[in-house]
Amino acid sequence: MNTDDLIAQLAQDPAPAPSARVEARLWPWLAGGLALTAAAFALLLGPRPDLAAALAQPVVAAKTLLPLLLAALALPLALRAVRPGARPGWPARVLWALPLAVVALIALAWLGTPASERMRLFIGHSIHVCLPAITLLSLPPLAGLIAALKRGAPVHPTGAGALAGLAAAGLATALYSTFCIEDSPLFYGVWYSLGIGIATGIGALAGRRWLRW
């Protein structure tokens, strides 16, 4: 084969786009991280005994469904963040509705709770478990996402890492919520959000460190 023939053959078989390389690695790495998180959850925490009955209450179900929705929106945004020129699209617009939903839940809980009970429900009894658990459970899927996203070409590595942290935190928080018996939005609306924020910050730092190219 001469040089011209080789060039023509290579031109007909272009290298896969960065997004294709990322997506090919994403699910195995994410599944591995989630498996570690699930194992740690089962070993150290486990689901609450009355989980089925609790999830039948919409306000309680919201503390699981909202983080799952957060992860479902943040994950495609993280993938798009490592494709130069890709637009965030509709997930970015819908994502902003979630904080508004959380604020609405907190406001309704505040108005519907006697003044003497508000502070008790806000403080709860498990902040010392909630924040470390959400943060630590987020780390394995975050590591998997960062490993997958390294195959991309993010223009803003810190932002891409933050989105990965947001997705990982959403998954970890949804899992943790099946253990937590703090069912008032006065508690989970605030403290879950703080835990998610911590994990997102860790993701931003990881992206700044490992997603640069």
Side-chain angles (χ1 to χ4, degrees):
M1 179 183 294
N2 60 39
T3 303
D4 292 338
D5 291 338
L6 177 59
I7 293 173
Q9 182 174 336
L10 291 174
Q12 293 174 1
D13 186 22
S19 61
R21 296 197 299 268
V22 171
E23 291 169 5
R25 291 167 55 95
L26 175 67
W27 300 115
W29 279 101
L30 181 57
L34 287 176
L36 290 175
T37 290
F41 175 80
L43 181 64
L44 300 175
L45 300 173
R48 57 192 286 180
D50 62 338
L51 179 60
L55 290 177
Q57 305 174 51
V59 172
V60 181
K63 72 178 184 177
T64 299
L65 295 178
L66 287 175
L68 282 177
L69 183 55
L70 175 67
L73 294 170
L75 188 56
L77 287 174
L79 287 172
R80 295 177 189 186
V82 298
R83 294 173 54 194
R87 295 185 177 183
W90 66 266
R93 295 189 292 272
V94 177
L95 185 67
W96 288 106
L98 297 184
L100 297 178
V102 173
V103 170
L105 283 171
I106 294 172
L108 289 173
W110 179 270
L111 294 173
T113 301
S116 60
E117 291 293 301
R118 289 169 181 164
M119 186 57 64
R120 181 184 67 82
L121 293 176
F122 168 69
I123 297 298
H125 62 271
S126 61
I127 296 174
H128 65 289
V129 176
C130 173
L131 294 181
I134 289 175
T135 302
L136 294 175
L137 291 174
S138 299
L139 295 182
L142 173 59
L145 288 173
I146 293 294
L149 295 177
K150 285 179 68 175
R151 288 295 186 95
V155 177
H156 302 291
T158 301
L163 288 168
L166 198 61
L171 294 170
T173 303
L175 183 60
Y176 174 78
S177 72
T178 64
F179 160 80
C180 177
I181 59 172
E182 310 271 14
D183 292 336
S184 171
L186 295 176
F187 181 90
Y188 71 75
V190 175
W191 302 112
Y192 283 20
S193 297
L194 181 57
I196 290 170
I198 293 171
T200 301
I202 294 173
L205 293 175
R208 182 177 180 180
R209 172 64 177 83
W210 285 295
L211 295 182
R212 298 175 63 182
W213 57 285

